[in-house]
């Protein structure tokens, strides 16, 4: 089943000029980048995006990190894109991420872990509309 997922290349990666290297891993995994934009998240945008984590102890740190430098927001398309991208990203904590995954290759810590990817098709749809209109996604 062809589906779409939402991705963010996080500040730790954009700051180190890793956008292209992250995109190469994404494309090598068979996922197509069908929309992409580099933006500076506002605090309000970051808080809304990570609303689900607002009671977690790391919420403040996470929002501060996500607005600390530009991010690249993306829509990825492919066969089982949501699960496929979670595989390609690797575990949240890079120390536990499998070889060849984006987080194993590039992440600095459990917080500064280079990429976000939607955890379900339902959340992908919710996240995509926060950053892209339909006409900005060219599949
Ligand atoms: P994932 O991004 O793998 O879906 P979560 O949804 O659990 O992980 O967490 C969202 C983000 O919050 C993580 O990607 C990471 O940036 C940050 N985060 C998660 N756990 C921690 C932690 N223990 N300490 C600091 N930051 C964390
Ligand atoms: Mg998550």
């Amino acid at each position: 089943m062809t589906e779409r997922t939402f991705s963010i290349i996080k500040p730790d990666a954009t700051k180190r000029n890793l956008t292209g290297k992250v995109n190469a891993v994404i494309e090598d995994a068979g996922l197509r980048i069908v929309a992409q934009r580099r933006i500076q998240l506002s605090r309000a945008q970051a808080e809304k995006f990570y609303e689900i984590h607002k009671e977690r102890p790391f919420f403040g740190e996470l929002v501060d990190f996500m607005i600390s430098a530009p991010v690249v927001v993306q829509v990825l398309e492919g066969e089982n894109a949501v699960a496929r991208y979670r595989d390609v990203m690797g575990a949240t904590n890079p120390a536990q991420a499998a070889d060849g995954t984006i987080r194993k290759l590039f992440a600095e810590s459990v917080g500064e872990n280079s990429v976000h990817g939607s955890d379900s098709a339902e959340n992908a749809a919710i996240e995509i509309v926060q950053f892209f209109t339909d006409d900005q996604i060219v599949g």
Side-chain angles (χ1 to χ4, degrees):
M1 172 209 20
T2 298
E3 65 180 4
R4 287 175 176 170
T5 193
F6 179 71
S7 165
I8 303 179
I9 303 179
K10 294 183 178 182
D12 67 286
T14 63
K15 269 197 294 199
R16 289 177 289 148
N17 283 350
L18 292 172
T19 298
K21 285 188 170 135
V22 170
N23 280 349
V25 179
I26 289 170
E27 293 186 327
D28 286 349
L31 292 165
R32 190 181 305 281
I33 300 163
V34 294
Q36 174 170 263
R37 188 165 75 250
R38 180 174 162 103
I39 60 171
Q40 172 63 52
L41 285 178
S42 67
R43 182 170 294 275
Q45 263 179 320
E47 285 175 348
K48 177 173 161 53
F49 183 75
Y50 277 122
E51 198 165 46
I52 191 171
H53 296 305
K54 67 171 179 292
E55 305 303 332
R56 308 274 284 274
F58 56 80
F59 180 72
E61 181 190 328
L62 176 59
V63 169
D64 286 347
F65 165 59
M66 291 299 291
I67 66 174
S68 66
V71 299
V72 176
V73 291
Q74 305 177 306
V75 180
L76 310 182
E77 186 178 272
E79 196 64 18
N80 298 314
V82 172
R84 182 96 194 93
Y85 190 45
R86 295 292 305 192
D87 281 351
V88 171
M89 287 163 56
T92 307
N93 185 345
Q96 281 144 27
D99 283 349
T101 61
I102 292 168
R103 284 165 167 172
K104 176 72 170 198
L105 287 165
F106 306 122
E108 307 206 281
S109 66
V110 65
E112 307 206 356
N113 60 2
S114 302
V115 280
H116 164 85
S118 309
D119 60 8
S120 68
E122 188 192 356
N123 283 337
I126 291 167
E127 292 171 1
I128 287 169
V129 299
Q130 290 179 47
F131 295 98
F132 293 101
T133 56
D134 275 350
D135 63 295
Q136 293 173 327
I137 305 169
V138 183

